[in-house]
Amino acid sequence: MPTAISTSPLSRPAEAQDIRPRVAKAGAELLLDALEEQGVDLIFGYPGGAVLPIYDALFKRDSIRHVMVRHEQGAVHAAEGYARSTGKVGVVLVTSGPGATNAVTGLADALLDSIPLVCITGQVARPLIGTDAFQECDTVGITRSCTKYNYLVPTAHKLSTIVHEAFHIARNGRPGPVVIDIPKDVQFEQGLYTARADAQKRNCIVTPPVNQAQIEQTVEMMRHARRPVLYTGGGVINAGRRASEALRMLARETGFPVTSTLMGLGAFPASDPQWLGMLGMHGSLEANGAMHDCDLMIAIGARFDDRITGRLDAFSPNSRKVHIDIDPSSINKNVRVDIGIVGNAGEVMEAIVAEWRRRRRPEPHDGARLDSWRAQIAKWRNRKSFSFENCDRQIKPQFAIERLFALTRDRNVYVTTEVGQHQMWAAQHFHFDEPNRWMTSGGLGTMGYGLPAAIGVQAAHRDALVIDIAGDASVQMTMQEMSTAVQHDLPVKIFILNNAYLGMVRQWQELLHGGRYSHSYSDSLPDFVKLAEAYGCVGLRARTPAELDAKIIEMIEVKKPVLFDCVVTREENVFPMIPSGAAHNEMLFGGHHVSGDEISEEGRALV
Amino acid sequence: MTTDTAPSQSVYPVTRDEGASSEAILAVIVDNEPGVLARVVGLISARGYNIESLTVAETDVEKHTSRITIVTTGTPAKIEQIKAQLGRLVPVRRVIDVSREADALERELALIKVINSGDHRLESMRLADIFRARALDTTHASFVFEITGARDKINAFIELMKPLGLKEVSRTGVLSIRRGAESD
């Protein structure tokens, strides 16, 4: 292998950046060169035998920061938090065998929520593959169904091309995680670098141009709609700032009410009068009512998940439906639609706005057309479906979120959550006016997501206030990452709604299983304040509504990671709720006495 | 349950899938790379689709592409979903619904071993002749026939051989291509 080869005379002269002679380098260096060219400045990872050459190369570079986590699942969630709050690709580096298998939960989470990640895993040396070597596992086989794509790098020569293609795949089309499995001897092997511009990228992700005929049909339907609703999802956030702007413009121009899935919160400002709140199982009455009774539904970057639709045969029975999605397989998957538009949410919405404006002049828009619909929505809104009965002795979890929101309103705040009751209360009572501010595990529902995700967000936004709204059970799944936060000086605030229960499990047991709380209590909880101190961060506790505000302010002021133990009422349930197997117009409300017969026999089979 | 045919496998209530279940032959043109077959097969099993047969081989050495022919069954909506999901895989270049083409050619090859003697031996030879099957291998006690044709023809031949000492069957699965000058 020659150690230095001058630039090939065949290379294109216009490529100005290609003035460096092509020097053969070790695979580990080629990897970092490629990451640098992709603009990577931050990696979340955990070292181990099969990635030592990469860590050695990383030691000599100042251009790429590395956040060492305490468990590989945390690395992937942190990268997800980074990606979701910045719109960039998150990068993970873990070792072979257990390093890779520990990362699997995070990869599956990123796949379901369409988060762009590149996860580099070490692999045993090529001659050892298939011999059941130490820390060997079939990473490509294991991760095949929980990644958008994955690679086993065959030679150092191909490494940089693969990295460039991996980033291309992760960020384009419907985003997702990509794994690059690099055998240890490939990390040592000498190879030549291929620049990003020269790397062959498969044209695997084709976003078709906006289909004007479909846009015209859609606008025609919009012009005649009397009860329209815009149903938006995480696709709008993934499509970038421009898509959120387009959505706001579309809503303003048409006057249509807007609802969103859990994943799409923030794309449309919650302070806007056209905002209906979140829809779905724990969504607002006005959002679910509008979905059920509408005559035109425009789904934008949302995928008709079962938590949204409830009973499919009773889902929005009298509406015509338009579905805008970048992934053709999402269209007509769960719900048949009248028009399926494949494309980037932002581009399609811009085209719709342009067509709407073009048509408005010859046929004046009938402003009164939506009046009765608005009156109906106002009626639903007046029901105040998120309301709860407050208490002056104990902290209600909803009240805690309300206070947290009120006291952080004027700040540069990012919120992550774990999964469970606290997640739903956060979605209901913490309001977002901007996209990329809300990071939650929507599709996979991964308990333990929020703490590492907050670390990823904080690593990307050093000066921001990053809060993980957590539950006492979820937070213990990735609690060890507090140590990461302390080591890297990332002052995340872990706000635990502590009801000493696996609250959502208990709620379901109450509704479905006759109140038999089988293994859903959190006995032997740690003392979170002492735990915080043990980790070298700050522990705070609030037990009464009277002390809550002062403690929250203290949490915000502290320039260190904080574990906030907010002791809340134990038996509170999340309302409103569409019981499983029920339709959007069959909601349960707070204060409602629920018992085991509340849910139909079929509904009980649903989770 | 809202379906009035067979109950759904899903615990979620499903809307009645319009249209009768029918067979589809899909030709999937893929990059010939390690693991590509596992991706296709894994997707089909993970999403609970049927495979009746699957055939794969490299078809363009220069472009490094293979053609996978899949025979599957489902309602029109299900077939559309299978096509869309296959199309999402990175190494998949095209998915062609061959059965949609009125003029698609379908062929399969089978090797069939029969063990018999006397009248049965004569009868199996006579039938092989009618079906244009070739005897690839002969012993005093056995034949191995090679037969090509559409699946129905092969199925018929196998049925006829059953009472005549059918011992073993090996089939390639369906191959298909479009008639005429047009190509996929």
Side-chain angles (χ1 to χ4, degrees), chain A residues 144 149-150 169 174 202 204 306 312-313 327 329 333 336 602 606, chain B residues 2 11-12 15 18 31 33 38-39 77 81 84-85 88 90-91:
Chain A
R144 194 175 284 131
Y149 195 56
N150 59 14
I169 291 171
R174 179 174 176 178
R202 264 177 290 189
C204 51
D306 55 82
L312 272 176
D313 60 351
D327 177 4
S329 75
K333 182 173 69 180
R336 286 295 200 85
E602 288 142 41
L606 322 183
Chain B
T2 53
V11 295
Y12 292 95
T15 44
E18 294 103 38
D31 292 327
E33 58 174 27
R39 282 179 211 282
Q81 183 59 206
Q85 292 291 351
R88 221 152 74 105
V90 170

PDB file of all heavy atoms in Angstrom, chain A residues 144 149-150 169 174 202 204 306 312-313 327 329 333 336 602 606, chain B residues 2 11-12 15 18 31 33 38-39 77 81 84-85 88 90-91:
ATOM      1  N   ARG A 144     -30.967  -4.642  11.791  1.00  0.00           N
ATOM      2  CA  ARG A 144     -31.568  -4.473  10.460  1.00  0.00           C
ATOM      3  C   ARG A 144     -33.001  -3.924  10.547  1.00  0.00           C
ATOM      4  O   ARG A 144     -33.381  -3.046   9.786  1.00  0.00           O
ATOM      5  CB  ARG A 144     -31.554  -5.804   9.715  1.00  0.00           C
ATOM      6  CG  ARG A 144     -31.829  -5.662   8.224  1.00  0.00           C
ATOM      7  CD  ARG A 144     -31.672  -6.998   7.528  1.00  0.00           C
ATOM      8  NE  ARG A 144     -30.277  -7.356   7.360  1.00  0.00           N
ATOM      9  CZ  ARG A 144     -29.755  -8.541   7.685  1.00  0.00           C
ATOM     10  NH1 ARG A 144     -30.512  -9.491   8.181  1.00  0.00           N
ATOM     11  NH2 ARG A 144     -28.484  -8.782   7.506  1.00  0.00           N
ATOM     12  N   TYR A 149     -31.185   1.934   7.632  1.00  0.00           N
ATOM     13  CA  TYR A 149     -30.232   1.182   6.832  1.00  0.00           C
ATOM     14  C   TYR A 149     -29.030   0.893   7.700  1.00  0.00           C
ATOM     15  O   TYR A 149     -28.791   1.606   8.681  1.00  0.00           O
ATOM     16  CB  TYR A 149     -29.812   2.003   5.599  1.00  0.00           C
ATOM     17  CG  TYR A 149     -29.121   1.183   4.548  1.00  0.00           C
ATOM     18  CD1 TYR A 149     -29.724   0.062   4.002  1.00  0.00           C
ATOM     19  CD2 TYR A 149     -27.837   1.517   4.098  1.00  0.00           C
ATOM     20  CE1 TYR A 149     -29.084  -0.695   3.038  1.00  0.00           C
ATOM     21  CE2 TYR A 149     -27.200   0.772   3.127  1.00  0.00           C
ATOM     22  CZ  TYR A 149     -27.834  -0.345   2.602  1.00  0.00           C
ATOM     23  OH  TYR A 149     -27.208  -1.097   1.653  1.00  0.00           O
ATOM     24  N   ASN A 150     -28.266  -0.149   7.355  1.00  0.00           N
ATOM     25  CA  ASN A 150     -27.032  -0.389   8.095  1.00  0.00           C
ATOM     26  C   ASN A 150     -25.957  -0.978   7.200  1.00  0.00           C
ATOM     27  O   ASN A 150     -26.247  -1.521   6.138  1.00  0.00           O
ATOM     28  CB  ASN A 150     -27.290  -1.248   9.335  1.00  0.00           C
ATOM     29  CG  ASN A 150     -27.888  -2.596   9.009  1.00  0.00           C
ATOM     30  OD1 ASN A 150     -27.890  -3.036   7.859  1.00  0.00           O
ATOM     31  ND2 ASN A 150     -28.408  -3.272  10.009  1.00  0.00           N
ATOM     32  N   ILE A 169     -28.529   9.186   3.812  1.00  0.00           N
ATOM     33  CA  ILE A 169     -29.726   8.379   4.061  1.00  0.00           C
ATOM     34  C   ILE A 169     -30.412   8.829   5.358  1.00  0.00           C
ATOM     35  O   ILE A 169     -31.631   8.944   5.421  1.00  0.00           O
ATOM     36  CB  ILE A 169     -29.362   6.881   4.114  1.00  0.00           C
ATOM     37  CG1 ILE A 169     -28.966   6.406   2.722  1.00  0.00           C
ATOM     38  CG2 ILE A 169     -30.515   6.042   4.662  1.00  0.00           C
ATOM     39  CD1 ILE A 169     -28.385   5.019   2.687  1.00  0.00           C
ATOM     40  N   ARG A 174     -37.713  10.371   4.670  1.00  0.00           N
ATOM     41  CA  ARG A 174     -38.159  10.266   6.057  1.00  0.00           C
ATOM     42  C   ARG A 174     -36.919   9.943   6.884  1.00  0.00           C
ATOM     43  O   ARG A 174     -36.323   8.881   6.703  1.00  0.00           O
ATOM     44  CB  ARG A 174     -39.189   9.154   6.172  1.00  0.00           C
ATOM     45  CG  ARG A 174     -39.697   8.961   7.576  1.00  0.00           C
ATOM     46  CD  ARG A 174     -40.815   7.939   7.556  1.00  0.00           C
ATOM     47  NE  ARG A 174     -41.272   7.643   8.889  1.00  0.00           N
ATOM     48  CZ  ARG A 174     -42.273   6.807   9.158  1.00  0.00           C
ATOM     49  NH1 ARG A 174     -42.892   6.216   8.165  1.00  0.00           N
ATOM     50  NH2 ARG A 174     -42.647   6.588  10.385  1.00  0.00           N
ATOM     51  N   ARG A 202     -26.405   6.501  -3.274  1.00  0.00           N
ATOM     52  CA  ARG A 202     -27.497   5.892  -4.008  1.00  0.00           C
ATOM     53  C   ARG A 202     -28.698   6.816  -4.007  1.00  0.00           C
ATOM     54  O   ARG A 202     -29.016   7.434  -2.998  1.00  0.00           O
ATOM     55  CB  ARG A 202     -27.864   4.562  -3.377  1.00  0.00           C
ATOM     56  CG  ARG A 202     -27.171   3.449  -4.084  1.00  0.00           C
ATOM     57  CD  ARG A 202     -27.471   2.173  -3.424  1.00  0.00           C
ATOM     58  NE  ARG A 202     -26.811   2.131  -2.130  1.00  0.00           N
ATOM     59  CZ  ARG A 202     -26.770   1.033  -1.401  1.00  0.00           C
ATOM     60  NH1 ARG A 202     -27.362  -0.052  -1.824  1.00  0.00           N
ATOM     61  NH2 ARG A 202     -26.154   1.030  -0.244  1.00  0.00           N
ATOM     62  N   CYS A 204     -31.583   6.703  -3.416  1.00  0.00           N
ATOM     63  CA  CYS A 204     -32.604   5.842  -2.844  1.00  0.00           C
ATOM     64  C   CYS A 204     -33.788   6.634  -2.327  1.00  0.00           C
ATOM     65  O   CYS A 204     -34.858   6.115  -2.126  1.00  0.00           O
ATOM     66  CB  CYS A 204     -31.997   5.039  -1.720  1.00  0.00           C
ATOM     67  SG  CYS A 204     -31.127   6.077  -0.559  1.00  0.00           S
ATOM     68  N   ASP A 306     -52.297   4.478  16.041  1.00  0.00           N
ATOM     69  CA  ASP A 306     -53.474   3.988  16.766  1.00  0.00           C
ATOM     70  C   ASP A 306     -53.810   4.841  17.987  1.00  0.00           C
ATOM     71  O   ASP A 306     -54.954   4.877  18.444  1.00  0.00           O
ATOM     72  CB  ASP A 306     -53.289   2.532  17.180  1.00  0.00           C
ATOM     73  CG  ASP A 306     -52.022   2.317  17.980  1.00  0.00           C
ATOM     74  OD1 ASP A 306     -52.041   2.575  19.205  1.00  0.00           O
ATOM     75  OD2 ASP A 306     -51.011   1.905  17.400  1.00  0.00           O
ATOM     76  N   LEU A 312     -60.711   2.471  14.500  1.00  0.00           N
ATOM     77  CA  LEU A 312     -60.547   2.887  13.106  1.00  0.00           C
ATOM     78  C   LEU A 312     -61.871   2.963  12.351  1.00  0.00           C
ATOM     79  O   LEU A 312     -62.061   3.838  11.521  1.00  0.00           O
ATOM     80  CB  LEU A 312     -59.617   1.917  12.379  1.00  0.00           C
ATOM     81  CG  LEU A 312     -58.122   2.251  12.455  1.00  0.00           C
ATOM     82  CD1 LEU A 312     -57.328   1.162  11.776  1.00  0.00           C
ATOM     83  CD2 LEU A 312     -57.837   3.593  11.807  1.00  0.00           C
ATOM     84  N   ASP A 313     -62.799   2.071  12.662  1.00  0.00           N
ATOM     85  CA  ASP A 313     -64.034   2.078  11.874  1.00  0.00           C
ATOM     86  C   ASP A 313     -64.974   3.204  12.293  1.00  0.00           C
ATOM     87  O   ASP A 313     -65.988   3.438  11.649  1.00  0.00           O
ATOM     88  CB  ASP A 313     -64.746   0.715  11.921  1.00  0.00           C
ATOM     89  CG  ASP A 313     -65.133   0.331  13.338  1.00  0.00           C
ATOM     90  OD1 ASP A 313     -64.698   1.040  14.274  1.00  0.00           O
ATOM     91  OD2 ASP A 313     -65.850  -0.661  13.504  1.00  0.00           O
ATOM     92  N   ASP A 327     -43.244   9.876   3.151  1.00  0.00           N
ATOM     93  CA  ASP A 327     -43.065   8.437   3.019  1.00  0.00           C
ATOM     94  C   ASP A 327     -44.292   7.835   2.340  1.00  0.00           C
ATOM     95  O   ASP A 327     -45.373   7.797   2.920  1.00  0.00           O
ATOM     96  CB  ASP A 327     -42.883   7.839   4.422  1.00  0.00           C
ATOM     97  CG  ASP A 327     -42.767   6.324   4.391  1.00  0.00           C
ATOM     98  OD1 ASP A 327     -42.757   5.755   3.281  1.00  0.00           O
ATOM     99  OD2 ASP A 327     -42.684   5.728   5.471  1.00  0.00           O
ATOM    100  N   SER A 329     -45.241   4.958   1.932  1.00  0.00           N
ATOM    101  CA  SER A 329     -45.860   3.811   2.606  1.00  0.00           C
ATOM    102  C   SER A 329     -46.761   4.234   3.763  1.00  0.00           C
ATOM    103  O   SER A 329     -47.520   3.431   4.287  1.00  0.00           O
ATOM    104  CB  SER A 329     -44.786   2.837   3.106  1.00  0.00           C
ATOM    105  OG  SER A 329     -44.146   3.345   4.246  1.00  0.00           O
ATOM    106  N   LYS A 333     -52.001   3.539   4.761  1.00  0.00           N
ATOM    107  CA  LYS A 333     -51.555   2.398   5.572  1.00  0.00           C
ATOM    108  C   LYS A 333     -52.612   2.022   6.599  1.00  0.00           C
ATOM    109  O   LYS A 333     -53.048   0.882   6.661  1.00  0.00           O
ATOM    110  CB  LYS A 333     -50.235   2.731   6.268  1.00  0.00           C
ATOM    111  CG  LYS A 333     -49.688   1.558   7.087  1.00  0.00           C
ATOM    112  CD  LYS A 333     -48.311   1.849   7.638  1.00  0.00           C
ATOM    113  CE  LYS A 333     -48.375   2.930   8.701  1.00  0.00           C
ATOM    114  NZ  LYS A 333     -47.042   3.226   9.256  1.00  0.00           N
ATOM    115  N   ARG A 336     -57.715   5.032   4.885  1.00  0.00           N
ATOM    116  CA  ARG A 336     -57.809   5.345   3.458  1.00  0.00           C
ATOM    117  C   ARG A 336     -58.046   6.833   3.292  1.00  0.00           C
ATOM    118  O   ARG A 336     -58.886   7.410   3.974  1.00  0.00           O
ATOM    119  CB  ARG A 336     -58.979   4.589   2.829  1.00  0.00           C
ATOM    120  CG  ARG A 336     -58.725   3.138   2.632  1.00  0.00           C
ATOM    121  CD  ARG A 336     -57.604   2.971   1.616  1.00  0.00           C
ATOM    122  NE  ARG A 336     -57.635   1.641   1.046  1.00  0.00           N
ATOM    123  CZ  ARG A 336     -58.390   1.297   0.013  1.00  0.00           C
ATOM    124  NH1 ARG A 336     -59.175   2.160  -0.563  1.00  0.00           N
ATOM    125  NH2 ARG A 336     -58.363   0.071  -0.431  1.00  0.00           N
ATOM    126  N   GLU A 602     -63.356  -5.909  23.857  1.00  0.00           N
ATOM    127  CA  GLU A 602     -62.333  -5.796  22.816  1.00  0.00           C
ATOM    128  C   GLU A 602     -61.282  -4.779  23.199  1.00  0.00           C
ATOM    129  O   GLU A 602     -60.106  -4.951  22.965  1.00  0.00           O
ATOM    130  CB  GLU A 602     -62.959  -5.358  21.485  1.00  0.00           C
ATOM    131  CG  GLU A 602     -63.780  -6.421  20.808  1.00  0.00           C
ATOM    132  CD  GLU A 602     -65.008  -5.820  20.144  1.00  0.00           C
ATOM    133  OE1 GLU A 602     -64.874  -4.747  19.543  1.00  0.00           O
ATOM    134  OE2 GLU A 602     -66.084  -6.422  20.265  1.00  0.00           O
ATOM    135  N   LEU A 606     -56.506  -4.173  23.749  1.00  0.00           N
ATOM    136  CA  LEU A 606     -55.606  -3.139  23.239  1.00  0.00           C
ATOM    137  C   LEU A 606     -54.799  -2.597  24.398  1.00  0.00           C
ATOM    138  O   LEU A 606     -55.272  -2.554  25.514  1.00  0.00           O
ATOM    139  CB  LEU A 606     -56.398  -1.981  22.629  1.00  0.00           C
ATOM    140  CG  LEU A 606     -57.641  -2.352  21.856  1.00  0.00           C
ATOM    141  CD1 LEU A 606     -58.236  -1.094  21.287  1.00  0.00           C
ATOM    142  CD2 LEU A 606     -57.320  -3.309  20.762  1.00  0.00           C
TER     143      LEU A 606
ATOM    144  N   THR B   2     -65.415  -5.837  13.450  1.00  0.00           N
ATOM    145  CA  THR B   2     -66.208  -5.189  12.424  1.00  0.00           C
ATOM    146  C   THR B   2     -66.134  -5.943  11.113  1.00  0.00           C
ATOM    147  O   THR B   2     -66.882  -5.671  10.199  1.00  0.00           O
ATOM    148  CB  THR B   2     -65.708  -3.773  12.199  1.00  0.00           C
ATOM    149  OG1 THR B   2     -64.308  -3.854  11.939  1.00  0.00           O
ATOM    150  CG2 THR B   2     -65.973  -2.898  13.399  1.00  0.00           C
ATOM    151  N   VAL B  11     -55.261  -7.023  17.242  1.00  0.00           N
ATOM    152  CA  VAL B  11     -56.164  -6.777  18.361  1.00  0.00           C
ATOM    153  C   VAL B  11     -56.923  -5.478  18.157  1.00  0.00           C
ATOM    154  O   VAL B  11     -57.884  -5.200  18.855  1.00  0.00           O
ATOM    155  CB  VAL B  11     -55.413  -6.707  19.706  1.00  0.00           C
ATOM    156  CG1 VAL B  11     -54.803  -8.043  20.033  1.00  0.00           C
ATOM    157  CG2 VAL B  11     -54.351  -5.625  19.703  1.00  0.00           C
ATOM    158  N   TYR B  12     -56.472  -4.668  17.220  1.00  0.00           N
ATOM    159  CA  TYR B  12     -57.150  -3.404  16.971  1.00  0.00           C
ATOM    160  C   TYR B  12     -58.301  -3.625  16.015  1.00  0.00           C
ATOM    161  O   TYR B  12     -58.176  -4.383  15.062  1.00  0.00           O
ATOM    162  CB  TYR B  12     -56.178  -2.383  16.378  1.00  0.00           C
ATOM    163  CG  TYR B  12     -55.143  -1.984  17.373  1.00  0.00           C
ATOM    164  CD1 TYR B  12     -53.906  -2.600  17.404  1.00  0.00           C
ATOM    165  CD2 TYR B  12     -55.427  -1.016  18.324  1.00  0.00           C
ATOM    166  CE1 TYR B  12     -52.971  -2.253  18.350  1.00  0.00           C
ATOM    167  CE2 TYR B  12     -54.501  -0.672  19.272  1.00  0.00           C
ATOM    168  CZ  TYR B  12     -53.269  -1.291  19.286  1.00  0.00           C
ATOM    169  OH  TYR B  12     -52.353  -0.948  20.228  1.00  0.00           O
ATOM    170  N   THR B  15     -61.016  -1.606   9.874  1.00  0.00           N
ATOM    171  CA  THR B  15     -62.069  -1.385   8.900  1.00  0.00           C
ATOM    172  C   THR B  15     -62.003  -2.519   7.897  1.00  0.00           C
ATOM    173  O   THR B  15     -60.950  -3.069   7.637  1.00  0.00           O
ATOM    174  CB  THR B  15     -61.851  -0.061   8.163  1.00  0.00           C
ATOM    175  OG1 THR B  15     -60.477   0.025   7.823  1.00  0.00           O
ATOM    176  CG2 THR B  15     -62.257   1.106   9.009  1.00  0.00           C
ATOM    177  N   GLU B  18     -61.528  -3.360   1.702  1.00  0.00           N
ATOM    178  CA  GLU B  18     -62.336  -3.543   0.496  1.00  0.00           C
ATOM    179  C   GLU B  18     -61.579  -4.371  -0.526  1.00  0.00           C
ATOM    180  O   GLU B  18     -60.365  -4.296  -0.620  1.00  0.00           O
ATOM    181  CB  GLU B  18     -62.695  -2.183  -0.122  1.00  0.00           C
ATOM    182  CG  GLU B  18     -63.593  -1.341   0.735  1.00  0.00           C
ATOM    183  CD  GLU B  18     -62.837  -0.242   1.438  1.00  0.00           C
ATOM    184  OE1 GLU B  18     -61.933   0.317   0.812  1.00  0.00           O
ATOM    185  OE2 GLU B  18     -63.154   0.035   2.599  1.00  0.00           O
ATOM    186  N   ASP B  31     -30.082  -3.768  -5.493  1.00  0.00           N
ATOM    187  CA  ASP B  31     -28.620  -3.805  -5.561  1.00  0.00           C
ATOM    188  C   ASP B  31     -28.173  -5.139  -4.990  1.00  0.00           C
ATOM    189  O   ASP B  31     -28.619  -5.530  -3.908  1.00  0.00           O
ATOM    190  CB  ASP B  31     -28.024  -2.674  -4.714  1.00  0.00           C
ATOM    191  CG  ASP B  31     -28.322  -1.313  -5.313  1.00  0.00           C
ATOM    192  OD1 ASP B  31     -28.385  -1.217  -6.545  1.00  0.00           O
ATOM    193  OD2 ASP B  31     -28.506  -0.356  -4.534  1.00  0.00           O
ATOM    194  N   GLU B  33     -26.135  -6.764  -2.925  1.00  0.00           N
ATOM    195  CA  GLU B  33     -25.185  -6.513  -1.844  1.00  0.00           C
ATOM    196  C   GLU B  33     -25.475  -7.480  -0.710  1.00  0.00           C
ATOM    197  O   GLU B  33     -26.566  -8.046  -0.652  1.00  0.00           O
ATOM    198  CB  GLU B  33     -25.323  -5.067  -1.356  1.00  0.00           C
ATOM    199  CG  GLU B  33     -26.736  -4.768  -0.868  1.00  0.00           C
ATOM    200  CD  GLU B  33     -26.871  -3.398  -0.236  1.00  0.00           C
ATOM    201  OE1 GLU B  33     -26.107  -2.499  -0.584  1.00  0.00           O
ATOM    202  OE2 GLU B  33     -27.758  -3.264   0.625  1.00  0.00           O
ATOM    203  N   ALA B  38     -32.052 -10.730   3.090  1.00  0.00           N
ATOM    204  CA  ALA B  38     -32.518 -10.714   4.479  1.00  0.00           C
ATOM    205  C   ALA B  38     -33.393  -9.486   4.729  1.00  0.00           C
ATOM    206  O   ALA B  38     -34.380  -9.548   5.460  1.00  0.00           O
ATOM    207  CB  ALA B  38     -31.326 -10.722   5.428  1.00  0.00           C
ATOM    208  N   ARG B  39     -33.039  -8.352   4.136  1.00  0.00           N
ATOM    209  CA  ARG B  39     -33.859  -7.139   4.314  1.00  0.00           C
ATOM    210  C   ARG B  39     -35.268  -7.349   3.755  1.00  0.00           C
ATOM    211  O   ARG B  39     -36.261  -6.988   4.381  1.00  0.00           O
ATOM    212  CB  ARG B  39     -33.222  -5.956   3.589  1.00  0.00           C
ATOM    213  CG  ARG B  39     -32.078  -5.357   4.332  1.00  0.00           C
ATOM    214  CD  ARG B  39     -31.470  -4.200   3.556  1.00  0.00           C
ATOM    215  NE  ARG B  39     -30.055  -4.127   3.840  1.00  0.00           N
ATOM    216  CZ  ARG B  39     -29.538  -3.612   4.946  1.00  0.00           C
ATOM    217  NH1 ARG B  39     -30.334  -3.085   5.853  1.00  0.00           N
ATOM    218  NH2 ARG B  39     -28.242  -3.612   5.146  1.00  0.00           N
ATOM    219  N   ALA B  77     -55.388  -3.237  -1.296  1.00  0.00           N
ATOM    220  CA  ALA B  77     -54.763  -2.272  -0.390  1.00  0.00           C
ATOM    221  C   ALA B  77     -53.506  -2.856   0.244  1.00  0.00           C
ATOM    222  O   ALA B  77     -52.493  -2.180   0.393  1.00  0.00           O
ATOM    223  CB  ALA B  77     -55.756  -1.856   0.690  1.00  0.00           C
ATOM    224  N   GLN B  81     -49.580  -1.655  -0.047  1.00  0.00           N
ATOM    225  CA  GLN B  81     -48.754  -1.405   1.138  1.00  0.00           C
ATOM    226  C   GLN B  81     -47.448  -2.204   1.050  1.00  0.00           C
ATOM    227  O   GLN B  81     -46.385  -1.681   1.362  1.00  0.00           O
ATOM    228  CB  GLN B  81     -49.567  -1.775   2.388  1.00  0.00           C
ATOM    229  CG  GLN B  81     -48.905  -1.517   3.695  1.00  0.00           C
ATOM    230  CD  GLN B  81     -48.507  -0.064   3.965  1.00  0.00           C
ATOM    231  OE1 GLN B  81     -47.586   0.169   4.713  1.00  0.00           O
ATOM    232  NE2 GLN B  81     -49.159   0.901   3.358  1.00  0.00           N
ATOM    233  N   ALA B  84     -45.214  -0.423  -1.336  1.00  0.00           N
ATOM    234  CA  ALA B  84     -44.670   0.816  -0.765  1.00  0.00           C
ATOM    235  C   ALA B  84     -43.584   0.511   0.264  1.00  0.00           C
ATOM    236  O   ALA B  84     -42.554   1.188   0.314  1.00  0.00           O
ATOM    237  CB  ALA B  84     -45.794   1.636  -0.132  1.00  0.00           C
ATOM    238  N   GLN B  85     -43.813  -0.514   1.070  1.00  0.00           N
ATOM    239  CA  GLN B  85     -42.809  -0.857   2.091  1.00  0.00           C
ATOM    240  C   GLN B  85     -41.536  -1.379   1.439  1.00  0.00           C
ATOM    241  O   GLN B  85     -40.436  -1.034   1.870  1.00  0.00           O
ATOM    242  CB  GLN B  85     -43.372  -1.899   3.066  1.00  0.00           C
ATOM    243  CG  GLN B  85     -44.490  -1.387   3.966  1.00  0.00           C
ATOM    244  CD  GLN B  85     -44.021  -0.382   4.995  1.00  0.00           C
ATOM    245  OE1 GLN B  85     -42.833  -0.163   5.178  1.00  0.00           O
ATOM    246  NE2 GLN B  85     -44.958   0.268   5.665  1.00  0.00           N
ATOM    247  N   ARG B  88     -39.366   1.329   0.077  1.00  0.00           N
ATOM    248  CA  ARG B  88     -38.699   2.135   1.088  1.00  0.00           C
ATOM    249  C   ARG B  88     -37.299   1.612   1.409  1.00  0.00           C
ATOM    250  O   ARG B  88     -36.483   2.335   1.961  1.00  0.00           O
ATOM    251  CB  ARG B  88     -39.542   2.060   2.365  1.00  0.00           C
ATOM    252  CG  ARG B  88     -39.683   3.329   3.111  1.00  0.00           C
ATOM    253  CD  ARG B  88     -40.991   3.302   3.855  1.00  0.00           C
ATOM    254  NE  ARG B  88     -40.942   2.418   4.995  1.00  0.00           N
ATOM    255  CZ  ARG B  88     -40.857   2.840   6.258  1.00  0.00           C
ATOM    256  NH1 ARG B  88     -40.787   4.114   6.518  1.00  0.00           N
ATOM    257  NH2 ARG B  88     -40.853   1.999   7.241  1.00  0.00           N
ATOM    258  N   VAL B  90     -33.545   0.755   1.204  1.00  0.00           N
ATOM    259  CA  VAL B  90     -32.496   1.483   0.489  1.00  0.00           C
ATOM    260  C   VAL B  90     -31.983   0.740  -0.740  1.00  0.00           C
ATOM    261  O   VAL B  90     -31.847   1.327  -1.807  1.00  0.00           O
ATOM    262  CB  VAL B  90     -31.354   1.845   1.463  1.00  0.00           C
ATOM    263  CG1 VAL B  90     -30.148   2.388   0.720  1.00  0.00           C
ATOM    264  CG2 VAL B  90     -31.850   2.858   2.486  1.00  0.00           C
ATOM    265  N   PRO B  91     -31.664  -0.575  -0.654  1.00  0.00           N
ATOM    266  CA  PRO B  91     -31.113  -1.227  -1.845  1.00  0.00           C
ATOM    267  C   PRO B  91     -32.148  -1.580  -2.909  1.00  0.00           C
ATOM    268  O   PRO B  91     -31.769  -2.096  -3.955  1.00  0.00           O
ATOM    269  CB  PRO B  91     -30.453  -2.495  -1.293  1.00  0.00           C
ATOM    270  CG  PRO B  91     -30.900  -2.646   0.103  1.00  0.00           C
ATOM    271  CD  PRO B  91     -31.653  -1.457   0.528  1.00  0.00           C
TER     272      PRO B  91
END
